[in-house]
Amino acid sequence: MHGDGVDALKDILFGSTAGIVSEIFEYPFDLAKVRLQSQLLTGDKQFNGPLDCLVKTWKHEGIVGLYRGLPVPLVGSMAETAAIFVAYSTFQNLIRKFTNTQGELSIPQLATASAGAGAVTSFILTPIELVKCKIQVQMMNTHTPPRIPPVGFVTSTTSLSPLDPPQSKFLLPPRNQPYEPLPGPFSIIKTVVQNNGVRGLWLGHVGTLLRETGGTASWFAMKEYVARLLVARRTPSSSTLEPFALLPWESAVAGSVSGAFCVAALYPADTVKSAMQTEEELRSHRVSTATAAREWTTTATHGSHSHTRPSFPAPPAIPRPTTPTFMATLSTIYRAHGIRGLYSGGGMTMARAVPSSGIVFVVYDGLVQYFS
């Protein structure tokens, strides 16, 4: 029992360290992914793709914008990675106990253990991701003000005439008019609980459960499969390492392949989850923007002259179900955007998952071997 406790502590420490290193590297890409996914339900396209999102965020928010809300996912990544590795080891031990298996488990057994680990971890991860996603899209409301821009309200390059229609673009206030402070994580949690009860913190849990169960199963199983292939290619005389003591490059390759496989398999579930978790954050902005567009048809006074503004229709709002269930949201996104919508930001996520997953396993395997 003492040995099990020490092993669990190691899993927590090593998993947390691996999660921190990985999260710092990948966070800007995750922020862009969530922003792309969140605009699927708004009918208001602010970004044309991952690179466009990163460039605009950097231009108008700087390095702070690229790492907006980092403390929440940093804590979340520590909790997630540690929980996954602890649960993974626990499920492996249970499988060995009930199947009387000695030594290495088969790939299907490892997939079962990792699926169980993912399912358990999803309950920890959903509230963390809910807060993270809401923080990541806050500036999308600021970028596209739901009101008619006053005189002197300019973009970074051109002035806007008061006669111009509402537009979905980044608008920067004058330097003497800073943005109002945005709600922090504790304020967001308080608001969610007040509006929806404690259960509201698990909005989008079905998506997280599917992603974590299937994704974690494919992540660990593929990593072990590739690792065993790499170890098997060695000749007995080519290395003095223990049979399954992976070299750093082997851990990196196995982890990178597993990361890509995991993203490809379960990405649509993550898209639906992110859209559900950010819709409420953006809903009031979408309604206000539509109202502003309708008001644009009225007569307005500019200086000493009166102008009749041309009619601009309100941005189309995508119909939404009263209760945002997982399947209803999935259907809504698919009808509006097709399969490409369900993989919105998928290419960039794949690109970041490859090195990120490699980093996780290099750090984790390295720590395990060093302290063994």
Side-chain angles (χ1 to χ4, degrees):
M1 186 66 180
H2 180 265
D4 291 341
V6 172
D7 289 340
L9 180 60
K10 286 183 178 180
D11 284 332
I12 292 172
L13 293 176
F14 299 162
S16 297
T17 303
I20 290 173
V21 174
S22 173
E23 190 65 42
I24 293 174
F25 167 79
E26 70 174 27
Y27 189 75
F29 305 101
D30 181 72
L31 179 137
K33 178 208 71 171
V34 171
R35 289 185 171 186
L36 289 171
Q37 291 172 331
S38 68
Q39 69 182 14
L40 293 173
L41 295 177
T42 64
D44 181 18
K45 188 175 182 181
Q46 295 191 36
F47 309 108
N48 296 320
L51 183 60
D52 181 55
C53 183
L54 287 172
V55 169
K56 286 180 177 177
T57 300
W58 168 264
K59 183 177 181 181
H60 298 290
E61 300 176 51
I63 190 69
V64 174
L66 290 175
Y67 282 91
R68 182 170 302 282
L70 177 62
V72 173
L74 202 58
V75 173
S77 181
M78 293 171 57
E80 175 193 9
T81 311
I84 282 179
F85 280 103
V86 170
Y88 184 46
S89 297
T90 301
F91 277 103
Q92 286 185 75
N93 292 334
L94 289 174
I95 290 174
R96 287 191 177 95
K97 178 179 179 180
F98 287 101
T99 62
N100 294 319
T101 302
Q102 301 296 324
E104 300 169 4
L105 297 179
S106 66
I107 296 298
Q109 288 174 323
L110 291 175
T112 301
S114 52
V120 171
T121 305
S122 70
F123 288 90
I124 302 173
L125 196 57
T126 299
I128 294 172
E129 291 213 349
L130 175 74
V131 176
K132 180 206 73 171
C133 289
K134 285 181 176 294
I135 291 176
Q136 287 177 326
V137 302
Q138 284 175 333
M139 288 298 289
M140 291 175 68
N141 286 347
T142 305
H143 291 159
T144 311
R147 61 186 177 86
I148 298 173
V151 177
F153 203 88
V154 298
T155 64
S156 57
T157 56
T158 60
S159 296
L160 287 178
S161 165
L163 298 182
D164 289 337
Q167 301 179 52
S168 293
K169 59 173 67 176
F170 280 28
L171 300 175
L172 298 179
R175 293 183 182 276
N176 62 346
Q177 296 182 24
Y179 293 119
E180 294 182 4
L182 298 170
F186 293 107
S187 177
I188 290 174
I189 292 172
K190 181 180 179 181
T191 300
V192 170
V193 173
Q194 285 178 340
N195 294 340
N196 305 295
V198 175
R199 291 183 59 183
L201 294 173
W202 276 266
L203 176 66
H205 179 67
V206 172
T208 309
L209 179 64
L210 291 174
R211 186 195 68 189
E212 291 300 306
T213 302
T216 306
S218 61
W219 192 48
F220 277 108
M222 182 58 66
K223 189 265 182 179
E224 288 296 329
Y225 177 73
V226 175
R228 292 181 185 186
L229 289 178
L230 293 174
V231 171
R233 62 180 287 278
R234 302 176 187 166
T235 59
S237 60
S238 66
S239 176
T240 59
L241 295 174
E242 293 295 324
F244 270 84
L246 295 175
L247 296 169
W249 74 266
E250 291 173 330
S251 291
V253 170
S256 297
V257 172
S258 68
F261 189 79
C262 173
V263 170
L266 276 301
Y267 191 82
D270 182 70
T271 297
V272 176
K273 185 271 307 176
S274 294
M276 292 177 66
Q277 292 181 330
T278 57
E279 184 191 15
E280 185 176 5
E281 190 73 23
L282 300 175
R283 183 188 299 134
S284 60
H285 166 67
R286 185 166 72 253
V287 172
S288 299
T289 301
T291 302
R294 286 194 295 270
E295 291 175 351
W296 214 268
T297 60
T298 63
T299 301
T301 301
H302 178 50
S304 59
H305 302 283
S306 179
H307 301 275
T308 300
R309 304 179 191 274
S311 176
F312 293 97
I318 300 174
R320 294 290 293 120
T322 302
T323 303
T325 63
F326 179 84
M327 290 306 300
T329 304
L330 173 66
S331 177
T332 299
I333 294 175
Y334 181 76
R335 289 198 309 270
H337 304 282
I339 192 67
R340 291 184 62 182
L342 292 172
Y343 278 90
S344 180
M348 179 187 61
T349 304
M350 180 80 73
R352 76 173 172 85
V354 170
S356 174
S357 184
I359 289 171
V360 167
F361 281 109
V362 167
V363 173
Y364 182 81
D365 290 343
L367 289 172
V368 169
Q369 292 173 24
Y370 183 80
F371 288 99
S372 293

